[in-house]
Amino acid sequence: MAVAPLDSQQSMWESITSLVRLAQEKNVDPVHWALELRSTLSAGGISLPSPELAHLLVSHIFWENHTPLSWKLLEKAISLSIVPPLLVLALLSHRVIPNRKHHPAAYRLYLELLKRHAFSLLPQIRGSGYHRTMTSIDNILHLSDIFGLPNQEPGSILLAFLFSILWQLVDASLDDEGLLELTSDKSSKWPHDMEIDGLLKRNDNHGVLEKANTEMAINLIQFLLENKVTSRILHLASQNMSTHWEDFSQRFRVLTTKSLLVRNSKHINPEALTYLASHTRKFLGRESKTIPGGEFHALVSSGSMLALTSQHHGTSGSALWLPIDLFFEDIMDGTQAAAASAVENLTGLVKALQAVNSTTWHDAFLALWLAALRLVQRERDPIEGPVPRTDTFLCVLLSVTPLAVANIIEEEESQWIDQSASNSPSNQWKEKKGKCRQGLVNSLQQLGDYESLLTPPLSVQSVANQAAAKAVMFVSGITNGNGSYENTSKHESASACSGNMRHLVVEACISRNLLDTSAYLWPGFVNGGTNQVPQGIAGNVSCWSLLMKGSSLTPSLTNSLITTPASSLAEIEKIYEIATTGSEDEKIAAASILCGASLFRGWSIQEHVIIFIVTLLSPKAPANISGSYSHLINCAPFLNVLLVGISPVDCVQIFSLHGVVPLLAGALMPICEAFGSGIPNITWTLPTGEVISSHAVFSTAFILLLRLWRFDHPPLDYVLGDVPPVGPQSSPEYLLLVRNCRLECFGKSPKDRMARRRFSKVIDISVDPIFMDSFPSLKQWYRQHQECMASILSELKTGSPVHHIVDSLLSMMFKKTNKGGSQSLTPSSGSSSLSTSGVDDSSDQLKIPGWDILEAAPFVLDAALTACAHGSLSPRELATGLKTLADFLPATLGTMVSYFSSEVTRGLWKPVSMNGTDWPSPAANLASVEQQIELILAATGVDVPRLPADGISAATLPLPLAALVSLTITYKLEKATERFLVLVGPALDALAAACPWPCMPIVTSLWTQKVKRWSDFLIFSASRTVFHHNSDAVIQLLRSCFTCTLGLKPTSQLCSYGGVGALLGHGFGSLHSGGISTAAPGILYIKVHRSIRDVMFLTEEILSLLMFSVKSIATTEKQNKTRDGLRYGIGQVSLSQAMTRVKLAASLGASLVWISGGLNLVQALIKETLPSWFISVHGEEDELGGGMVPMLRGYALAYFAILSSAFAWGVDSSSPASKRRPRVLWLHLEFLVSALEGKISLGCDWATWQAYVTGFVSLMVECTPAWVVEVDVEVIKRLSKSLRQWNEQDLALALLCAGGLRTMGTATELIVETCHQL
């Protein structure tokens, strides 16, 4: 319509004003007047409905023309669409509600107009003046400012307007009944106009009308909450304006609980209103659960049912939690200390599975406890070897798992605290506060039903009995003589109370305040009568009680404290106090106690003990010392006790599980710098009589530091031209970076502030950043280490200080050889001959700093190896010399490992024959070892290469590898050398695995000859070699994992069950093949995936195996179809079973991708692998099952993608990895949208594509809504539009609703459109 000129419009409005006045004076018919007005406006070129006319009419009424006819004229103008109804309501609310007590009739008329026109929204959003109307409403009511809307989209203003109407009605009703004083701010949120002069005086009927108005307003409130359109829109408000909604909810609760009208009304009651408010918040979420046909989510929800029976869980819904079992097995790898905390990773994993499986926290926690118990049960009879033992597995169950549970509970309760801090507490938040905690209680109560998992290992049976005795004492009201139930001797209750793992789990939770002592009263928790109290408990006082009462640390008390774990933080704090303020002997005793049973089995205080130890390793420098670590020298005996105490395999693994490796590295570096730079002219005598020097302290600290990252790996990854491993490359710099970031960020989030309350207040950890530049000697060594691994040694200058040290070391190493005459050892990197015949080998000659020795060590090793290669030095003499050097300075073992690994990689040395004459021979058992390797792998369906026919003659090793293995077998297996062998062992294993077959069987044969009790462990380790060289073997193993887990074509009786039991078995040795102990395929893969050089190919292979598995599942379920409920070609029951197994397959695939390559591999899957798969053509689909196979494949891919991403990124923003999520997710959704819009051609089946898109979006919206908020808003809107074109209205709406404030306006408009179509 043409717009009239300005002068013409002014004249028009003057005539319209006259027309309105004339109508009032002559009392004309409102309908006739409205039709005449409409014709006049149309003739004048005025667009209808007209906001200007709305302003004119409302201004005319208030308050000079507040007459019935004026209201009739206004109502007819609304009915005939001459003025925008919503704008009129906004104008009226602005004037009427504040003056309702003086003009109750006007308020009543406003309520009537509201009832007639506030719910007819579709014509409003489709009208031509919709945008202009919403802008006018915003200008009048200032909704964008009040609600903080980031944009002024019409849909957002419409939502805010409806919310404001509801809120104004609630405030007005509260005010009318005198209840505003009971609200938080004791006044209405909405601004009141000033009273207008000349208001009509109140009359006697006002009171009656006011009461009726209030009742009608409450009825309108109820209608707003009941109406299918407005209730959904208000749900959006509750989602995206949480602060305002909580404020509103507080007022609404006052109305529902205190209003006399509500209480006395025949049509309204408080319960109904409360239900409607709750119903409004949940209505959209329930309605939006949709996948084509509505079946997807009904099937998915069955995953929350836990039917866990023993360890053979099959492919029931319980098996969907198998990622936890795989995670537990993976973190138990003792060959690598992880920089990340297993507690944090487990927390994210459980949250992800709980969200994607759509279960209660009861189910999630029960699955978590059962997985941890299965881990312990699989290790009831562990194989012997230098690997983590029972203590580490119990750490996972009784320390790591409770801490993860505590994180989840504290995270939920920290949200409640934040909500309370915002001055808007709510009953809903108070109710939510206990949801996770109650789920924990329920899960532990149900845990008693799984007796087969609760039998304790023999090593902790007495501890379990003690926990049971404590419960009996509590129920009986008996203490142990010091007023508590703690610290009863482990011998006191061993025969009186029979405890199990549930007692230990409950005790671990009670000690962390996750439960209270009422758990002791659970039915069946205490066996027998409460009067059956173990004899001898009452009156006994434990060693820790004696300490707390002030007893001094006598040798006997110290020994008792070393072997008895502390039970409370206060006891550990007492030891820490002694360690910092006591005498030298007391400090050493305290250090021994901290590194004793309290560290290994003090599960309730384990993380505190670890932090105390790390803190004690970094004593503060006196005020007069700065920029130096010389003050550490005076603490040598004390530091040595700590270093030796934390060197065992289990201990380092426990530190790793708790995520303290970066902190430990930061504490070890100053020690290495200080003691490695000192001359060993001072010795210290320990209370045990052992004499140590600075070299001993340096070596222990240095080797411990090397064990914190795979320092020997880079040449194998890069020099051979392989693809570097996925994920962060661990190094000293990386560990320091992680340390600095953690200390910088800790305590800033609500979750951290909650967790901080668990830590001891006496700990004072320095949060100052540490950098490699602070350790010049360490930095120089590390640079030389990298150079040595990357290239051959540089030329050694004759006469240099390093040259003299090399001479002295060679003389010391081969002095027995030199007695026979002059011996010339020439390093291959230098041109000078290093003659050792005339060198003074006195001890004074070698009293030099450890760092200087490490600098010379590569040249010493090069010279010795060259001499052996040229025949100047026999292999036996070489091994003896290397052992002499290692005994002199054990830190040189690190150099030996890195140098020999580098030389093997470079391939410059000729192989030597392991013939038993010059070098040790594997002939005695090499054939047997090879046979056992083949059997172990064949049991999982993997073929391995065979040794040549003349296997013994082919028993050769590269010279550096032969030297290293000869060195290791010279060591005696004793506690004093364990901390050194655990450094060399994994490196030797990795080096032998990287060499051509059969190097690994040869090394294994030599070691099994030396330590027969380690045979199972060594042979199992050797079986991993094939996967280092052969990608086909990896694929075969992955296929076995899928077939066993899903129960497809089982290769053994165990595999026929499917599920977790088939995938992981019951520990190494639980399976036997031909009399040889074998392993389940999942266990084998967990142990070998770190040996796979190029993991990037795994995503495609796992994806292919997933698709193949889906087809196999469909084939199986086709045979099980029923006669009734046929759909998609099979029975409904069969479809449900197929869907459960498909989800299990996707869960397994996602777990394998995440475990194998971590964050980077998952991102490669989302960015590259999946898009490529959809674009590619996969040939004709099998017709079996009709459309079932393509559909199931799409759903499988959706779960696969969501689960993989959730494992890597988390479902929220609490993990550092979540910062990478928005970019990758945007790229994937952009691909989906582009394909939906026809910009990308697809090669996959259309049913597969449709199932994937709807499945992925639905899972993302319902399970990971935090992801949607992070994605570009335009992509979300485009995706929603495409879904509507597929007739996926509910899913499109749910997607927009999850988009937050940015998509709130579009979602509001879609709600109106969608509900109109229903």
Side-chain angles (χ1 to χ4, degrees):
M1 180 179 292
V3 179
L6 182 61
D7 292 341
S8 176
Q9 285 192 6
Q10 291 178 348
S11 176
M12 175 70 65
W13 289 118
E14 290 176 358
S15 63
I16 291 174
T17 303
S18 300
L19 186 63
V20 173
R21 292 175 180 172
L22 183 62
Q24 188 171 356
E25 292 173 359
K26 294 185 177 183
N27 196 25
V28 299
D29 178 58
V31 176
H32 177 75
W33 172 85
L35 293 174
E36 182 181 355
L37 179 61
R38 185 183 184 92
S39 299
T40 303
L41 292 171
S42 299
I46 302 299
S47 300
L48 298 180
S50 171
E52 294 82 0
L53 180 60
H55 281 275
L56 187 150
L57 293 178
V58 173
S59 299
H60 172 76
I61 293 177
F62 300 101
W63 290 97
E64 296 178 356
N65 299 292
H66 175 36
T67 63
L69 181 60
S70 298
W71 282 92
K72 291 180 180 179
L73 295 177
L74 179 62
E75 198 278 332
K76 290 303 177 184
I78 296 174
S79 299
L80 295 177
S81 300
I82 300 175
V83 294
L86 298 182
L87 178 58
V88 171
L89 293 175
L91 291 167
L92 291 177
S93 67
H94 191 56
R95 290 170 170 83
V96 174
I97 294 180
N99 299 297
R100 65 189 181 281
K101 293 184 178 180
H102 296 279
H103 294 282
Y107 185 42
R108 179 55 175 255
L109 292 171
Y110 163 74
L111 294 176
E112 292 289 349
L113 290 176
L114 191 63
K115 184 177 181 180
R116 292 186 183 185
H117 301 289
F119 302 95
S120 300
L121 300 178
L122 184 63
Q124 312 306 318
I125 67 172
R126 289 182 175 177
S128 58
Y130 170 55
H131 286 69
R132 190 166 54 140
T133 299
M134 291 298 106
T135 301
S136 299
I137 291 176
D138 191 33
N139 292 335
I140 295 168
L141 300 180
H142 309 290
L143 298 175
S144 295
D145 296 333
I146 292 174
F147 292 111
L149 302 179
N151 52 55
Q152 295 183 343
E153 290 185 348
S156 298
I157 297 172
L158 176 60
L159 177 145
F161 177 54
L162 290 175
F163 187 20
S164 70
I165 289 176
L166 177 65
W167 200 328
Q168 289 181 82
L169 291 178
V170 169
D171 275 4
S173 301
L174 288 171
D175 189 28
D176 292 344
E177 295 197 67
L179 300 176
L180 269 180
E181 290 294 324
L182 300 180
T183 61
S184 56
D185 51 11
K186 304 184 186 306
S187 62
S188 175
K189 179 181 178 67
W190 303 97
H192 287 225
D193 286 350
M194 295 180 60
E195 290 287 343
I196 302 174
D197 293 337
L199 292 177
L200 297 176
K201 294 183 179 180
R202 294 173 56 88
N203 56 49
D204 295 338
N205 293 327
H206 277 196
V208 177
L209 187 55
E210 285 179 5
K211 182 178 179 180
N213 287 346
T214 303
E215 187 171 358
M216 184 175 182
I218 295 175
N219 281 323
L220 278 174
I221 293 171
Q222 178 178 350
F223 194 42
L224 283 166
L225 296 175
E226 285 179 332
N227 183 269
K228 63 182 179 180
V229 177
T230 55
S231 65
R232 293 187 174 197
I233 294 175
L234 291 172
H235 167 77
L236 269 183
S238 70
Q239 275 190 323
N240 299 304
M241 302 176 179
S242 57
T243 302
H244 296 288
W245 185 266
E246 291 301 331
D247 191 5
F248 162 78
S249 298
Q250 192 269 339
R251 296 164 183 268
F252 186 77
R253 280 190 298 275
V254 174
L255 180 66
T256 58
T257 57
K258 303 297 183 181
S259 170
L260 291 176
L261 284 175
V262 172
R263 189 179 307 167
N264 298 327
S265 174
K266 298 180 180 179
H267 307 289
I268 305 173
N269 60 68
E271 292 77 14
L273 281 178
T274 302
Y275 167 77
L276 285 174
S278 174
H279 181 67
T280 298
R281 300 198 63 161
K282 298 177 181 178
F283 182 71
L284 181 64
R286 186 181 72 247
E287 291 295 319
S288 67
K289 291 184 177 180
T290 176
I291 284 292
E295 298 173 347
F296 185 58
H297 291 282
L299 298 174
V300 170
S301 63
S302 65
S304 64
M305 300 174 61
L306 285 170
L308 300 166
T309 55
S310 71
Q311 295 192 51
H312 296 290
H313 311 310
T315 56
S316 65
S318 64
L320 300 178
W321 301 94
L322 71 81
I324 301 179
D325 291 84
L326 286 170
F327 171 79
F328 280 152
E329 286 292 346
D330 189 55
I331 63 175
M332 296 313 298
D333 177 60
T335 62
Q336 183 172 357
S341 167
V343 175
E344 296 300 326
N345 289 338
L346 179 59
T347 302
L349 175 61
V350 174
K351 288 163 57 179
L353 289 171
Q354 187 271 340
V356 178
N357 288 338
S358 301
T359 67
T360 64
W361 282 112
H362 166 209
D363 289 339
F365 287 147
L366 179 59
L368 175 61
W369 292 119
L370 292 174
L373 286 168
R374 285 193 294 267
L375 175 72
V376 174
Q377 294 300 326
R378 282 193 292 268
E379 297 299 322
R380 286 187 61 83
D381 300 309
I383 58 176
E384 289 197 54
V387 291
R389 307 298 290 272
T390 304
D391 287 335
T392 309
F393 290 89
L394 291 171
C395 166
V396 172
L397 171 65
L398 301 175
S399 186
V400 171
T401 301
L403 284 172
V405 172
N407 282 347
I408 293 171
I409 292 176
E410 288 173 355
E411 182 176 334
E412 184 183 48
E413 295 181 358
S414 68
Q415 294 175 346
W416 178 80
I417 289 175
D418 282 357
Q419 192 68 23
S420 300
S422 65
N423 297 321
S424 57
S426 68
N427 288 335
Q428 181 196 354
W429 280 104
K430 292 178 181 178
E431 179 183 351
K432 183 178 179 181
K433 178 182 178 182
K435 188 181 298 183
C436 287
R437 198 178 291 271
Q438 186 59 46
L440 172 64
V441 172
N442 295 340
S443 69
L444 291 177
Q445 288 176 336
Q446 189 176 349
L447 197 61
D449 298 337
Y450 304 93
E451 295 182 2
S452 63
L453 295 176
L454 300 180
T455 304
L458 292 178
S459 58
V460 292
Q461 180 64 67
S462 61
V463 183
N465 294 347
Q466 184 181 354
K470 181 180 176 183
V472 172
M473 291 169 60
F474 175 85
V475 174
S476 304
I478 299 177
T479 65
N480 60 358
N482 61 346
S484 71
Y485 307 98
E486 304 286 350
N487 291 318
T488 56
S489 169
K490 66 181 180 181
H491 302 294
E492 294 167 353
S493 56
S495 59
C497 296
S498 177
N500 57 32
M501 299 304 294
R502 184 183 179 216
H503 292 105
L504 292 177
V505 169
V506 169
E507 199 60 40
C509 292
I510 291 176
S511 66
R512 299 184 185 281
N513 295 320
L514 300 176
L515 298 174
D516 56 35
T517 52
S518 63
Y520 296 144
L521 304 177
W522 291 346
F525 189 77
V526 175
N527 296 325
T530 58
N531 59 344
Q532 297 179 359
V533 182
Q535 298 180 358
I537 290 184
N540 287 346
V541 180
S542 74
C543 56
W544 284 100
S545 299
L546 293 175
L547 174 72
M548 298 303 290
K549 290 180 178 180
S551 298
S552 59
L553 288 179
T554 61
S556 60
L557 179 58
T558 299
N559 291 334
S560 297
L561 295 174
I562 290 174
T563 57
T564 306
S567 60
S568 68
L569 178 58
E571 294 167 349
I572 293 298
E573 288 176 339
K574 180 67 174 179
I575 292 296
Y576 178 75
E577 179 185 353
I578 296 173
T580 53
T581 62
S583 64
E584 292 303 317
D585 289 342
E586 287 178 333
K587 289 181 178 180
I588 292 176
S592 301
I593 294 169
L594 285 175
C595 296
S598 295
L599 172 59
F600 290 93
R601 296 197 172 181
W603 301 296
S604 62
I605 40 86
Q606 197 168 57
E607 71 274 22
H608 303 293
V609 176
I610 291 172
I611 294 298
F612 278 129
I613 291 174
V614 173
T615 305
L616 291 173
L617 286 172
S618 305
K620 291 185 177 181
N624 59 344
I625 298 179
S626 61
S628 172
Y629 304 106
S630 58
H631 67 285
L632 296 175
I633 302 298
N634 296 329
C635 305
F638 173 72
L639 294 175
N640 185 76
V641 172
L642 290 174
L643 293 171
V644 173
I646 63 175
S647 291
V649 174
D650 277 291
C651 187
V652 173
Q653 189 68 10
I654 289 171
F655 271 69
S656 176
L657 292 174
H658 284 279
V660 192
V661 165
L663 295 180
L664 179 60
L668 291 175
M669 289 181 186
I671 297 175
C672 293
E673 189 72 17
F675 287 92
S677 302
I679 299 175
N681 52 9
I682 302 177
T683 59
W684 299 271
T685 302
L686 300 179
T688 59
E690 179 185 359
V691 178
I692 62 171
S693 66
S694 60
H695 278 180
V697 180
F698 168 65
S699 293
T700 304
F702 184 70
I703 288 177
L704 187 55
L705 178 62
L706 292 183
R707 291 168 57 192
L708 302 185
W709 86 92
R710 302 303 295 270
F711 73 101
D712 59 304
H713 269 211
L716 301 180
D717 296 327
Y718 295 105
V719 179
L720 292 180
D722 290 329
V723 177
V726 176
Q729 299 304 302
S730 189
S731 65
E733 295 99 332
Y734 174 73
L735 292 175
L736 290 181
L737 176 63
V738 174
R739 173 203 176 273
N740 296 340
C741 290
R742 285 186 185 173
L743 292 178
E744 170 67 21
C745 300
F746 184 75
K748 294 185 178 180
S749 68
K751 182 184 70 172
D752 285 343
R753 289 193 290 272
M754 287 285 291
R756 203 170 197 170
R757 300 186 307 180
R758 299 198 303 256
F759 292 102
S760 172
K761 302 301 185 294
V762 304
I763 295 180
D764 183 18
I765 299 179
S766 173
V767 298
D768 296 334
I770 299 177
F771 304 99
M772 282 290 286
D773 291 339
S774 301
F775 315 107
S777 298
L778 175 62
K779 184 178 180 180
Q780 181 180 354
W781 167 85
Y782 186 59
R783 184 184 296 114
Q784 182 193 30
H785 165 74
Q786 291 178 307
E787 292 173 353
C788 175
M789 302 185 82
S791 62
I792 61 175
L793 294 174
S794 59
E795 183 177 352
L796 180 61
K797 294 182 180 179
T798 305
S800 65
V802 176
H803 183 278
H804 289 299
I805 296 174
V806 170
D807 281 347
S808 299
L809 291 174
L810 288 172
S811 177
M812 176 194 69
M813 294 167 60
F814 305 111
K815 57 186 177 181
K816 294 182 180 180
T817 305
N818 296 337
K819 292 180 180 180
S822 177
Q823 180 76 19
S824 178
L825 303 179
T826 305
S828 59
S829 58
S831 59
S832 60
S833 174
L834 304 182
S835 176
T836 65
S837 58
V839 176
D840 181 9
D841 61 349
S842 64
S843 59
D844 292 338
Q845 182 80 10
L846 291 173
K847 286 189 176 180
I848 54 178
W851 290 118
D852 292 347
I853 297 175
L854 291 184
E855 183 181 5
F859 299 99
V860 173
L861 298 175
D862 184 73
L865 212 59
T866 301
C868 184
H870 293 166
S872 304
L873 201 64
S874 70
R876 186 178 299 275
E877 292 169 342
L878 173 63
T880 302
L882 294 176
K883 181 64 164 56
T884 301
L885 177 61
D887 290 342
F888 174 69
L889 185 69
T892 56
L893 284 171
T895 303
M896 293 181 192
V897 167
S898 60
Y899 173 78
F900 289 143
S901 298
S902 303
E903 292 302 309
V904 169
T905 301
R906 282 189 274 271
L908 301 178
W909 301 89
K910 292 182 179 181
V912 296
S913 176
M914 311 300 290
N915 53 20
T917 302
D918 300 319
W919 298 91
S921 172
N925 61 342
L926 181 57
S928 173
V929 167
E930 184 199 16
Q931 180 186 15
Q932 292 181 59
I933 291 174
E934 291 180 355
L935 288 173
I936 289 175
L937 298 180
T940 60
V942 178
D943 296 326
V944 295
R946 292 181 174 273
L947 285 170
D950 57 342
I952 297 178
S953 63
T956 61
L957 293 178
L959 175 58
L961 177 57
L964 186 58
V965 70
S966 298
L967 169 65
T968 59
I969 62 178
T970 62
Y971 275 89
K972 293 181 179 180
L973 294 183
E974 53 190 14
K975 188 175 182 180
T977 59
E978 178 189 356
R979 61 181 182 271
F980 306 135
L981 285 177
V982 293
L983 172 73
V984 182
L988 176 63
D989 183 77
L991 181 59
C995 293
W997 190 273
C999 289
M1000 189 63 176
I1002 293 172
V1003 173
T1004 302
S1005 299
L1006 294 174
W1007 260 96
T1008 53
Q1009 292 176 31
K1010 177 179 177 60
V1011 191
K1012 292 183 179 180
R1013 67 178 186 274
W1014 285 8
S1015 295
D1016 284 345
F1017 164 77
L1018 294 169
I1019 294 172
F1020 178 68
S1021 297
S1023 66
R1024 300 176 293 177
T1025 307
V1026 65
F1027 304 99
H1028 190 85
H1029 300 281
N1030 193 333
S1031 297
D1032 291 338
V1034 177
I1035 298 172
Q1036 293 176 46
L1037 181 57
L1038 287 171
R1039 182 179 296 111
S1040 294
C1041 290
F1042 275 93
T1043 55
C1044 278
T1045 304
L1046 300 172
L1048 303 172
K1049 298 179 182 178
T1051 58
S1052 68
Q1053 183 178 0
L1054 180 62
C1055 288
S1056 64
Y1057 290 97
V1060 179
L1063 179 65
L1064 300 178
H1066 307 298
F1068 185 83
S1070 61
L1071 302 178
H1072 294 273
S1073 178
I1076 304 299
S1077 295
T1078 59
I1083 293 293
L1084 185 57
Y1085 184 80
I1086 290 296
K1087 302 302 181 183
V1088 306
H1089 75 80
R1090 290 180 177 84
S1091 301
I1092 302 172
R1093 297 181 179 181
D1094 178 12
V1095 299
M1096 299 305 295
F1097 85 100
L1098 289 178
T1099 56
E1100 295 182 5
E1101 297 300 334
I1102 292 174
L1103 178 57
S1104 298
L1105 288 170
L1106 175 60
M1107 295 297 94
F1108 177 80
S1109 298
V1110 171
K1111 183 177 179 180
S1112 300
I1113 290 170
T1115 303
T1116 303
E1117 297 302 333
K1118 176 67 176 178
Q1119 302 170 356
N1120 300 328
K1121 70 176 183 178
T1122 60
R1123 294 176 300 174
D1124 301 324
L1126 292 179
R1127 193 165 187 171
Y1128 298 110
I1130 63 170
Q1132 180 64 32
V1133 175
S1134 183
L1135 175 60
S1136 176
Q1137 295 173 349
M1139 198 65 212
T1140 300
R1141 298 176 73 187
V1142 164
K1143 188 175 178 182
L1144 174 59
S1147 177
L1148 174 61
S1151 303
L1152 294 175
V1153 169
W1154 178 52
I1155 287 173
S1156 301
L1159 175 63
N1160 287 351
L1161 193 60
V1162 171
Q1163 293 184 164
L1165 169 71
I1166 302 300
K1167 290 193 300 183
E1168 302 169 11
T1169 308
L1170 283 175
S1172 297
W1173 190 90
F1174 285 117
I1175 293 173
S1176 303
V1177 178
H1178 303 285
E1180 295 296 329
E1181 298 289 351
D1182 194 313
E1183 295 183 358
L1184 179 64
M1188 179 187 180
V1189 173
M1191 180 195 69
L1192 289 180
R1193 282 178 169 171
Y1195 292 151
L1197 289 172
Y1199 272 115
F1200 180 48
I1202 287 290
L1203 279 171
S1204 300
S1205 303
F1207 294 161
W1209 296 328
V1211 294
D1212 50 29
S1213 300
S1214 60
S1215 68
S1218 64
K1219 297 178 181 179
R1220 300 190 186 185
R1221 182 173 59 215
R1223 171 67 179 172
V1224 180
L1225 188 59
W1226 173 80
L1227 288 173
H1228 190 64
L1229 292 181
E1230 178 66 32
F1231 166 75
L1232 298 186
V1233 173
S1234 298
L1236 290 171
E1237 294 173 345
K1239 299 177 182 178
I1240 298 177
S1241 299
L1242 300 174
C1244 66
D1245 188 283
W1246 178 252
T1248 299
W1249 171 248
Q1250 187 176 31
Y1252 175 76
V1253 172
T1254 53
F1256 183 88
V1257 175
S1258 181
L1259 288 170
M1260 182 175 63
V1261 167
E1262 295 181 32
C1263 304
T1264 61
W1267 296 7
V1268 184
V1269 182
E1270 300 171 345
V1271 181
D1272 180 72
V1273 65
E1274 293 304 320
V1275 173
I1276 295 297
K1277 291 180 178 179
R1278 288 165 56 201
L1279 180 56
S1280 176
K1281 180 179 179 181
S1282 297
L1283 289 171
R1284 292 198 300 274
Q1285 293 173 354
W1286 275 3
N1287 200 31
E1288 290 288 342
Q1289 302 289 347
D1290 288 342
L1291 185 56
L1293 175 58
L1295 177 63
L1296 291 174
C1297 292
L1301 288 173
R1302 305 171 307 156
T1303 57
M1304 185 174 66
T1306 307
T1308 301
E1309 294 165 357
L1310 184 57
I1311 288 174
V1312 177
E1313 295 275 0
T1314 303
C1315 292
H1316 176 74
Q1317 298 173 4
L1318 295 178

